[in-house]
Amino acid sequence: MDRLYITSEADRSAVAAVLLKNKYTVRAGSQRRAGSRSYDYFLEFWNEGKKPVENKISIDEEADQLTVATVLIRNKYTVRCFFQIRKGVKEYFHLEYEPNPTAKKEVEE
């Protein structure tokens, strides 16, 4: 199960919609930040039909892929897009992501 920390409720809803559209099971949650009254909000997701691969999301449509990539970048993730061009048409396969080093430190504290 992967977890994405996304600050904005609208961004979490947009990413959840794309994940659901691409056959992922999605759960939203929050946890209190250590030593603070603030909360970190996240989405947990997995795809039961596929072998689990950490930090990777398969997305079928280009617009959806760009939406998720934009939200992740805004929330301090590094994102790489992988696709293939077949017969002159882009076929999108997946995004790989990882928290930026400073973002990891903030979540752990």
Side-chain angles (χ1 to χ4, degrees), residues 4 6 57 68-77 79 97:
L4 295 171
I6 301 174
I57 304 172
V68 172
T70 301
V71 169
L72 293 179
I73 290 166
R74 192 170 30 237
N75 284 274
K76 302 179 182 173
Y77 287 86
V79 179
Y97 62 90

Side-chain angles (χ1 to χ4, degrees), residues 9-69:
E9 182 178 0
D11 285 346
R12 285 192 306 278
S13 294
V15 171
V18 170
L19 290 170
L20 289 166
K21 184 176 173 182
N22 285 275
K23 299 181 173 66
Y24 285 89
T25 301
V26 181
R27 175 174 45 209
S30 64
Q31 64 187 26
R32 183 170 269 187
R33 203 173 289 159
S36 174
R37 291 184 178 180
S38 300
Y39 284 83
D40 289 316
Y41 296 92
F42 57 84
L43 294 175
E44 292 179 330
F45 62 95
W46 60 95
N47 187 326
E48 307 222 3
K50 295 184 179 180
K51 179 181 170 186
V53 179
E54 285 189 33
N55 301 335
K56 182 177 174 180
I57 304 172
S58 296
I59 300 174
D60 294 334
E61 295 181 23
E62 181 176 12
D64 290 341
Q65 191 174 36
L66 294 173
T67 297
V68 172

